[in-house]
Amino acid sequence: MKTINHKLKLLLFVMVIGLTLSCKKENIAPKPELSSFSATLEGGVATVPAIGGKLNILISAGTDGWWISTAQADLLTITRMYGSGDFKLPVTIKANTSGAARLVSLKVNPTFNLPAVTFNINQDK
């Protein structure tokens, strides 16, 4: 009987040691944290003359990404439609030959489901 108790204790000890060694903590990369996001018009001017003009949008996205969307791509020239981090985005508004003032809109969309920033640029006739 003593031999059986001794063997059971030894078996239990080996199992506890085995379980302890098999439960190693793994180093897992942390989830990315949300960066703050903003997009502003450099100089705050949202009007261009009929002959066209160039504006800069200052994007502050930390380590996160962003992309541009517009339904009026034919009225704009944008050098970069997506990127990440902080960036000074040049936007060229083409000449207005319509004879009427117009509104040109574009949106800077951040990642992580943050609200987009919409720019409405007035162009003279």
Side-chain angles (χ1 to χ4, degrees):
M1 188 77 157
K2 270 185 164 179
T3 308
I4 293 176
N5 282 340
H6 182 63
K7 287 181 180 180
L8 284 174
K9 285 181 184 179
L10 182 61
L11 179 63
L12 183 63
F13 177 74
V14 169
M15 287 176 61
V16 168
I17 296 296
L19 283 172
T20 303
L21 293 176
S22 67
C23 295
K24 287 193 251 177
K25 184 176 181 180
E26 292 184 34
N27 291 331
I28 299 173
K31 290 183 179 180
E33 291 189 29
L34 180 66
S35 295
S36 61
F37 175 80
S38 68
T40 56
L41 202 53
E42 186 177 49
V45 179
T47 303
V48 294
I51 61 169
K54 186 176 179 181
L55 305 168
N56 291 311
I57 296 176
L58 305 175
I59 300 170
S60 177
T63 58
D64 296 336
W66 51 265
W67 71 98
I68 306 298
S69 58
T70 181
Q72 300 167 308
D74 57 326
L75 305 179
L76 307 165
T77 301
I78 301 173
T79 58
R80 194 168 177 188
M81 295 301 287
Y82 58 89
S84 62
D86 302 339
F87 189 69
K88 183 177 183 176
L89 179 69
V91 177
T92 302
I93 309 296
K94 296 178 182 177
N96 182 0
T97 58
S98 70
R102 66 182 176 194
L103 183 68
V104 181
S105 295
L106 66 93
K107 192 181 289 189
V108 182
N109 305 281
T111 55
F112 285 107
N113 295 321
L114 292 169
V117 178
T118 300
F119 294 95
N120 292 311
I121 303 159
N122 296 302
Q123 188 171 24
D124 298 332
K125 58 179 178 174

